[in-house]
């Protein structure tokens, strides 16, 4: 039986792109007993995290890469020509970036 303060090892999942840690609903990092257990968890593709056998990518980096490759997905009621001159915000359906955030990047 273990008692008191005991040092133990565990596996935590980090994004290879940005370094973000995989957390539960309360914002606490999820700890696994083994690397195999962590890989099995990722194979469920929980919350958009992807493991390709080599690299781990978080949901935010996955969404950003999707938008960089295929463009942003704006609400279907928005027309690009109207949207460009509008002061109303719209969020990309994929990555969540807003019109003003996109303008600041460019």
């Amino acid at each position: 039986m273990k008692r008191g303060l005991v040092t133990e090892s565990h596996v935590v999942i980090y994004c290879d792109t940005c370094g973000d840690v995989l957390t539960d609903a309360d914002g606490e990092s999820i700890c696994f007993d083994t690397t195999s257990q962590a890989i099995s968890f990722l194979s469920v593709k929980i919350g958009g995290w992807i493991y390709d056998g080599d690299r781990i990518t978080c949901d935010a980096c996955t969404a950003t890469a999707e938008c960089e490759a295929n463009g942003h997905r704006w609400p279907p009621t928005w027309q690009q020509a109207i949207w460009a001159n509008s002061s109303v915000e719209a969020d990309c359906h994929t990555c969540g970036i807003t019109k003003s955030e996109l303008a600041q990047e460019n």
Side-chain angles (χ1 to χ4, degrees):
M1 173 187 330
K2 296 178 184 176
R3 295 174 186 244
L5 302 174
V6 178
T7 300
E8 296 185 338
S9 295
H10 59 266
V11 176
V12 178
I13 300 171
Y14 289 90
C15 176
D16 282 315
T17 305
C18 70
D20 197 12
V21 64
L22 180 64
T23 59
D24 62 17
D26 296 326
E28 297 292 326
S29 58
I30 302 172
C31 298
F32 300 93
D33 294 330
T34 65
T35 301
S36 296
Q37 186 184 37
I39 290 169
S40 293
F41 185 82
L42 285 173
S43 69
V44 177
K45 297 195 182 215
I46 188 86
W49 285 64
I50 296 173
Y51 174 63
D52 67 6
D54 180 38
R55 296 180 50 82
I56 298 169
T57 309
C58 72
D59 51 354
C61 290
T62 299
T64 299
E66 173 71 21
C67 287
E68 286 175 357
N70 301 312
H72 294 287
R73 292 180 49 232
W74 304 108
T77 56
W78 288 78
Q79 294 177 359
Q80 191 65 22
I82 295 170
W83 178 73
N85 298 319
S86 173
S87 62
V88 179
E89 285 290 351
D91 296 337
C92 171
H93 288 298
T94 305
C95 71
I97 195 168
T98 64
K99 173 186 168 185
S100 59
E101 290 172 327
L102 185 61
Q104 289 173 2
E105 287 182 3
N106 296 327

